[in-house]
Amino acid sequence: MAESGTLPTGFGELEVLAVGTVLLVEALSGLSLNILTILSFCKTPELRTPSHLLVLSLALADSGISLNALVAATSSLLRRWPYGSEGCQAHGFQGFVTALASICSSAAVAWGRYHHFCTRSRLDWNTAVSLVFFVWLSSAFWAALPLLGWGHYDYEPLGTCCTLDYSRRDRNFTSFLFTMAFFNFLLPLFITVVSYRLMEQKLGKTSRPPVPALIAKAVPTVNAMNYALGSEMVHRGIWQCLSPQRREHSREQ
């Protein structure tokens, strides 16, 4: 970890500044888009449906990722981690919870779309609420394991944010990594791909899961544009939130 006022070992001034700037842009853009999505759900009655609850869960998770990136950006611009070892563990836990919730919520949205378009039956509230509850409970469970000794959170190479310590090669971390990856990456990926493939076969048109982001912290922006802003109904709800005149017109109707 970099000390106050010194550069992290192996990194130059320009590199640290560039990382901090990129993280800041990603954090602010992700927060802005996802907060708009969340506000549209809160203010637009037409969006308060079981299927849109899954998108809301994704927006909440991505907002958490953006907040995590904002902390990392601030630390990078300060050139040090100012929150101590306990803050590092909390930062790693919060980032991992929201990252896993984002991945699993994306799979839930894909399954929800398959259910809607291929079975022609509405998703009920009990199923949607149960899915969201399971996504967040499962994410919290897996993110808590490194705090309990299976896996480990530590500083990233730059020393200004915290995540899983992928540099470890011991049996403890390896067993955690492979088990966690199966349940939280491979399984959600399988559900997502199969759901979209079945939709493609059923509807007779190409329908693909979202394009993977090159940088993990950019996922909130990608998801917001793909799932929220790409939906005509959500898009209309956001404009209603931003336009007082349109909100008054909706109330009068």
Side-chain angles (χ1 to χ4, degrees):
M1 179 178 64
E3 298 296 332
S4 177
T6 64
L7 291 173
T9 304
F11 293 90
E13 183 85 35
L14 187 60
E15 291 173 306
V16 176
L17 179 62
V19 169
T21 302
V22 170
L23 286 173
L24 184 62
V25 170
E26 290 177 347
L28 293 178
S29 61
L31 269 178
S32 301
L33 292 174
N34 283 289
I35 286 175
L36 276 177
T37 302
I38 294 168
L39 286 176
S40 71
F41 281 110
C42 296
K43 294 181 177 293
T44 309
E46 294 86 353
L47 294 179
R48 296 169 196 162
T49 65
S51 59
H52 284 114
L53 180 65
L54 302 180
V55 179
L56 177 60
S57 174
L58 179 61
L60 288 170
D62 287 342
S63 296
I65 295 175
S66 296
L67 285 173
N68 189 272
L70 187 60
V71 173
T74 303
S75 300
S76 296
L77 294 175
L78 289 173
R79 301 187 303 179
R80 65 188 180 89
W81 177 258
Y83 308 109
S85 59
E86 292 185 358
C88 176
Q89 297 300 302
H91 185 252
F93 173 77
Q94 187 271 342
F96 202 38
V97 166
T98 51
L100 294 181
S102 177
I103 293 169
C104 294
S105 291
S106 295
V109 169
W111 178 85
R113 288 184 170 182
Y114 159 77
H115 184 274
H116 175 76
F117 290 109
C118 295
T119 67
R120 299 297 180 183
S121 60
R122 289 181 177 272
L123 185 67
D124 61 81
W125 278 106
N126 286 337
T127 302
V129 171
S130 297
L131 271 176
V132 171
F133 180 77
F134 175 78
V135 163
W136 284 95
L137 185 63
S138 173
S139 300
F141 168 77
W142 285 100
L145 290 177
L147 298 177
L148 300 175
W150 196 24
H152 183 68
Y153 293 121
D154 205 350
Y155 300 100
E156 291 187 349
L158 194 62
T160 54
C161 57
C162 299
T163 186
L164 287 176
D165 185 4
Y166 294 101
S167 65
R168 294 205 170 194
R169 296 291 185 267
D170 56 30
R171 182 175 299 179
N172 175 284
F173 185 79
T174 302
S175 62
F176 168 76
L177 185 63
F178 278 96
T179 307
M180 179 276 300
F182 175 79
F183 287 104
N184 295 283
F185 291 97
L186 295 180
L187 193 57
L189 177 63
F190 175 78
I191 293 172
T192 301
V193 171
V194 169
S195 296
Y196 280 100
R197 288 298 183 188
L198 291 176
M199 285 175 59
E200 179 182 345
Q201 294 175 6
K202 182 74 174 181
L203 302 178
K205 62 181 181 180
T206 301
S207 180
R208 296 178 299 171
V211 177
L214 294 178
I215 303 176
K217 297 290 193 301
V219 167
T221 303
V222 175
N223 282 341
M225 297 182 69
N226 183 67
Y227 286 120
L229 299 183
S231 167
E232 181 180 353
M233 185 174 291
V234 177
H235 192 259
R236 189 164 58 246
I238 289 175
W239 277 112
Q240 287 181 10
C241 291
L242 296 176
S243 173
Q245 293 181 347
R246 297 189 70 168
R247 287 203 300 268
E248 292 297 328
H249 180 67
S250 298
R251 289 173 185 169
E252 291 174 1
Q253 289 182 333

